[in-house]
Amino acid sequence: MSSPLLVFDIPTIASLAVVGSLVFSACSFGAWRHMPEEPCLRDWGIGLAFLFLGALELFLRTPASAAWTIPLGNGLFAIGDSWKLMALRRLMRLPRRHDERWLPLAAFALVAVPCWWYTDIQPSLNARLIWVSLVMGIWYVAYAWTLAQHHDRQLAGWLRLTIAIQLGGLALFLARAWVAPTALVSPDYSKTSSLLIAAPGYYGLLFNIWMSLTMILVITSRMHDRVVETLGFNREILANSPLATAVYRADGQCALVNDAYAQLVETPRAELLQQNFHHLAHWRDAGLFAACTQALNSRQSGRCEFHTTTPSGHQIWLDCRIHPSSILGTTHLLLQFNDLTERKRLEDQLRQMAFHDPLTMLPNRRLLMDRILQAQHGSERQSNHAALLFIDLDKFKQLNDCHGHGIGDKLLVALAQSLSQAVRKSDTVARLGGDEFVVMLENLGASVEQALSHAQDMATVIHQAINRDYRLDGVDYRASASIGIRVFNGTRETPEALLQDADSAMYQSKLNMSMPRFF
């Protein structure tokens, strides 16, 4: 009794092989485009493409064309099997051989030439079947041997079953070679011998499907291991990274932090892992919460610079880079914090050095000019007056010559403190250099008379604050100073011109040894 599978004729089986090989080849090439790190997918697709051509040739074969299509078809099948073998070797991570690139051509010659000889030169169906059966048996042994060298505990059962199928295919081809001498030109499928002769070709399509599934399972298992290994590797890198890093889920819950972040914010890791940034008030106040929300909504990286206070009371500046990403199908935010506290301190120090006198820490000439200009604009808007008091110490050079510059510096520092205490908080005390100081007074009144009166009163207070005895490292010294006053309103003059007018008034006061003089 014949097998139910053998009721299909050869063209029908060939058409199924054409469709199946084409579909699996296209799928292999498509998968390879998304996973170029798996070249075995490309090789498998090439092998199936040659099987497709061989099946197509078998489907189109006619008795008239059999003389040349039989060698061609079997040769194409041999090329396809050689590419599949190379794909399996790559799949199992076996080392590539230098002569491997010649395998498809050698396989084609090994099968096509004998088929051509026993079809056209010395026609013999028996010899052709024996030869092709033995060559196909070699392929099955090669497949089984290659699979046996791959060790995967998760797929051990499947691989053992696949190896058993390969050995079953080997037995089937050896059986066909054994009964080939009884083969007829037109096989009678009701006879056992004919069934053995025809069965390998019929089961070839199922074999390709099974092997394609095997490749999918092996690659899926490898990708799973790679993902697990990568996650563990990334977790280890993050945990030991000197860069403060934290990972938060889209709902705001902290998922992962490293020791560097815990040390930076002076908070234990266990406490940080309990945090949800939706409930952190200092994140909202600093703008970090808004930056995280924007990164989640736009799916684009963001950045936020802010300052906060640690539990111990330290003020720290942080630069946070926010990277949205998908981890195991869930949206997460990767936050990387860079401590800017020292940089901010250096910037403040440089700014202090650029705009302040290094000895007295008072504003220097550059900062004074900017404040004079601001005061001019403010007086113009408010219809108010302001004034500059130019102060020059008397006989300061003699103090330096007699007692050294160290004593002179101490006097300058003491005078800076006295001036700062004598004026209002809204006024500016600056040191131009040497023994010259300037006091800028604002909001002195709308009328000139009122402004002159307030400026005179403040000059008197400053004169009294300076003209007193000082004890400087055992040196007693009585200081005195000359003061020139320039009242102004608006921006008709430049800050340099106003300062020059106050300097001229001071010079008149010094010449006449008089009280403060107005310009």
Side-chain angles (χ1 to χ4, degrees), residues 153-154 219-237 327-328:
R153 288 181 295 179
Q154 297 179 352
I219 292 177
T220 302
S221 175
R222 182 176 297 161
M223 291 179 62
H224 176 267
D225 294 341
R226 188 178 301 166
V227 169
V228 173
E229 180 182 353
T230 301
L231 288 177
F233 181 70
N234 290 342
R235 183 182 293 269
E236 187 70 17
I237 289 179
I327 304 176
L328 298 178

Side-chain angles (χ1 to χ4, degrees), residues 188-256:
D188 183 0
Y189 295 144
S190 63
K191 295 182 178 181
T192 304
S193 61
S194 299
L195 175 61
L196 289 174
I197 291 173
Y202 287 113
Y203 290 110
L205 178 60
L206 297 179
F207 168 77
N208 288 330
I209 295 175
W210 184 274
M211 289 303 297
S212 295
L213 292 176
T214 300
M215 290 200 65
I216 292 173
L217 289 175
V218 173
I219 292 177
T220 302
S221 175
R222 182 176 297 161
M223 291 179 62
H224 176 267
D225 294 341
R226 188 178 301 166
V227 169
V228 173
E229 180 182 353
T230 301
L231 288 177
F233 181 70
N234 290 342
R235 183 182 293 269
E236 187 70 17
I237 289 179
L238 187 146
N240 295 283
S241 173
L243 179 63
T245 308
V247 178
Y248 288 83
R249 295 200 304 262
D251 60 2
Q253 186 62 42
C254 182
L256 188 66

Side-chain angles (χ1 to χ4, degrees), residues 346-381:
L346 292 176
E347 288 178 353
D348 292 341
Q349 183 177 352
L350 291 174
R351 191 179 300 108
Q352 183 78 7
M353 293 172 60
F355 294 100
H356 291 78
D357 174 54
L359 177 63
T360 62
M361 303 308 295
L362 294 177
N364 58 13
R365 185 184 189 92
R366 181 184 300 177
L367 182 56
L368 175 65
M369 290 301 180
D370 180 70
R371 292 190 178 179
I372 292 175
L373 184 60
Q374 293 180 21
Q376 286 182 284
H377 288 292
S379 66
E380 191 171 49
R381 288 193 305 270

